[in-house]
Amino acid sequence: MSLKAGIIGLPNVGKSTLFNAITKKHILAANYPFATIDPNVGVVTVPDSRLEFLENLYLPERTIPTSFEFTDIAGLVKGASKGEGLGNKFLSHIRDVDAIVEVVRCFENDDIIHVEGKVDPIRDIEIINTELLLSDLEIIDNRINKIEKKAQTTKDKIAILELNALKKSKEAVENNVPLRQIEYTDKELELIKSFNFITLKPIIYVANVNEEDAVSGSNKYTDEVAKYAEKNNSSYIVMCAKLESELSELNESDKKQFLSELGIKFSGLDKLIFATYNLLGLETFFTVGKDEVRAWTFKKGSKAPECAGIIHSDFQRGFIKAEVTSFNDLYELKSEKSVKENGKLRLEGKDYIMQDGDICYFRFNV
């Protein structure tokens, strides 16, 4: 399944530096606004120690981790919703992503220009939030103008339901409340899904700090971001984009040693990948064998046939049963034979809700 997280922020907050680290690509990361003009897309693999165990157990010809996309989107400025900077081009790229990663500058550096003159993370967050809200409001108003008369004259139930959902959305946005904080019914969500409202997307704030503060884990600015995120029921992490970019140049062994010397357990990049994966409501199941050990991404709450369909549509169409082993059981018992002997291999049907770490073999017939 193709999922995207979009990296946004004001110019010169460290977005492109972070993107370089994420993808190990070297796009332009210059000290001036709009160094990134077209969205840059990179695929990132999700670190998973379970794959290493499965690889050592099955000795497959290839091992394929699960992955998703990060998109680096050009820097936003005040007035983007009215066409300032890159304006609507920037906003249209955000509409295409599933989740938002907002990089917030939480470091002082006189050599790096701040587009607003000085470091103030909450002001920066609110500048971006305002532009995103205004962009959603424009779409809401346009749609209400188009559908309101039809709903009133025809009394069409679907049109009325959509109009009510839009009016609920309009009221929220006009009160500076992102749509992700509004309770919608499943039907309302279905009706407004096609509009790709930006403020309906889940968001995580990345407090970008200097190397010293990355080691300590916080500073006065990150504390402000933490309070803001908690108040708005959002996630946040602290990381140093510059440090992560340097780490991305090292091999795994050297990277671990360097982090150990700094007293850091997990890299900021790993924390971001895990946090974004969780933000998107994603989990992992595995298929195993001598030819291939592979991790597959699925939405939490998906049933077995849906997950079978991620591998191939025929698997879902002709689904019969799923042979399922929990990774934890296989890890504890060390072999498929022991799993079977201990009654831990299960046959699950169409209503089985897949769990993170399930190892599956799908039976199907078409």
Side-chain angles (χ1 to χ4, degrees):
M1 60 196 304
S2 179
L3 291 160
K4 297 179 184 178
I7 305 173
I8 68 170
L10 294 175
N12 301 337
V13 297
K15 291 185 306 84
S16 296
T17 304
L18 173 59
F19 184 78
N20 285 345
I22 285 173
T23 62
K24 297 188 180 179
K25 291 182 180 179
H26 298 286
I27 59 168
L28 181 61
N31 180 25
Y32 55 88
F34 314 126
T36 309
I37 295 176
D38 293 313
N40 295 271
V41 180
V43 176
V44 61
T45 58
V46 180
D48 196 327
S49 60
R50 296 174 296 186
L51 268 181
E52 185 177 346
F53 171 83
L54 294 172
E55 185 176 26
N56 291 333
L57 183 64
Y58 289 92
L59 302 175
E61 293 178 14
R62 60 186 179 274
T63 300
I64 304 175
T66 190
S67 63
F68 60 92
E69 292 180 2
F70 275 102
T71 302
D72 180 35
I73 299 168
L76 175 67
V77 294
K78 190 183 293 183
S81 59
K82 302 299 181 186
E84 295 295 324
L86 296 172
N88 293 328
K89 185 176 181 181
F90 165 94
L91 295 165
S92 68
H93 293 319
I94 305 178
R95 293 197 186 283
D96 291 336
V97 303
D98 301 290
I100 296 171
V101 176
E102 183 173 334
V103 182
V104 186
R105 180 168 168 175
C106 292
F107 64 89
E108 301 275 3
N109 188 327
D110 293 338
D111 294 329
I112 300 178
I113 302 162
H114 193 295
V115 72
E116 289 295 320
K118 67 175 185 176
V119 177
D120 183 341
I122 304 307
R123 176 207 57 211
D124 294 354
I125 288 172
E126 290 181 344
I127 284 173
I128 287 182
N129 284 354
T130 297
E131 298 305 322
L132 302 186
L133 286 164
L134 287 171
S135 179
D136 280 350
L137 181 60
E138 182 179 6
I139 291 176
I140 291 167
D141 282 340
N142 288 341
R143 182 59 181 170
I144 286 176
N145 290 337
K146 190 172 183 180
I147 198 176
E148 190 165 27
K149 188 174 181 180
K150 175 186 175 183
Q152 291 172 346
T153 55
T154 66
K155 305 300 181 184
D156 179 82
K157 289 182 179 180
I158 298 299
I160 291 171
L161 190 59
E162 181 185 335
L163 179 62
N164 289 339
L166 289 167
K167 286 185 174 180
K168 181 197 293 188
S169 304
K170 179 180 172 70
E171 182 181 1
V173 169
E174 288 180 336
N175 284 285
N176 294 318
V177 178
L179 299 182
R180 73 181 71 89
Q181 296 182 17
I182 304 304
E183 287 189 20
Y184 293 99
T185 66
D186 290 343
K187 188 63 179 178
E188 286 175 332
L189 283 172
E190 183 185 329
L191 289 170
I192 65 173
K193 183 180 179 181
S194 62
F195 302 120
N196 280 334
F197 291 131
I198 301 174
T199 65
L200 191 56
K201 301 177 189 296
I203 190 168
I204 183 170
Y205 298 103
V206 173
N208 187 20
V209 299
N210 59 32
E211 187 174 309
E212 182 180 338
D213 292 332
V215 175
S216 67
S218 67
N219 61 29
K220 64 180 182 180
Y221 297 125
T222 65
D223 291 343
E224 292 176 16
V225 175
K227 289 176 185 175
Y228 184 92
E230 183 178 0
K231 181 182 176 183
N232 290 276
N233 198 28
S234 298
S235 302
Y236 88 101
I237 64 167
V238 176
M239 66 186 294
C240 173
K242 183 174 181 292
L243 174 62
E244 296 301 321
S245 187
E246 292 168 357
L247 284 170
S248 71
E249 302 297 326
L250 304 177
N251 61 42
E252 280 303 309
S253 177
D254 290 344
K255 185 167 77 172
K256 287 178 181 177
Q257 183 179 345
F258 186 44
L259 287 171
S260 177
E261 290 170 357
L262 290 174
I264 299 174
K265 189 173 182 181
F266 296 106
S267 74
L269 180 52
D270 283 351
K271 288 193 292 183
L272 176 61
I273 292 171
F274 291 139
T276 308
Y277 203 67
N278 184 60
L279 186 70
L280 287 166
L282 304 179
E283 292 183 329
T284 304
F285 74 89
F286 303 96
T287 51
V288 297
K290 289 294 181 185
D291 58 334
E292 178 183 280
V293 165
R294 183 163 182 169
W296 302 85
T297 299
F298 69 98
K299 279 277 190 181
K300 187 175 182 178
S302 297
K303 293 184 178 180
E306 295 174 81
C307 290
I310 293 170
I311 300 174
H312 197 286
S313 58
D314 283 351
F315 286 21
Q316 182 171 3
R317 186 159 54 94
F319 180 89
I320 301 172
K321 292 283 183 182
E323 294 181 11
V324 181
T325 302
S326 164
F327 173 83
N328 290 338
D329 288 336
L330 182 60
Y331 182 79
E332 182 181 335
L333 296 169
K334 307 303 181 191
S335 72
E336 284 187 0
K337 182 180 177 184
S338 294
V339 166
K340 291 175 183 177
E341 289 174 349
N342 284 272
K344 296 296 185 179
L345 177 64
R346 312 187 310 272
L347 274 181
E348 302 289 359
K350 292 182 178 180
D351 292 329
Y352 175 66
I353 296 175
M354 294 281 285
Q355 301 298 308
D356 184 59
D358 279 348
I359 301 167
C360 300
Y361 174 78
F362 295 106
R363 297 181 185 176
F364 72 103
N365 182 35
V366 290

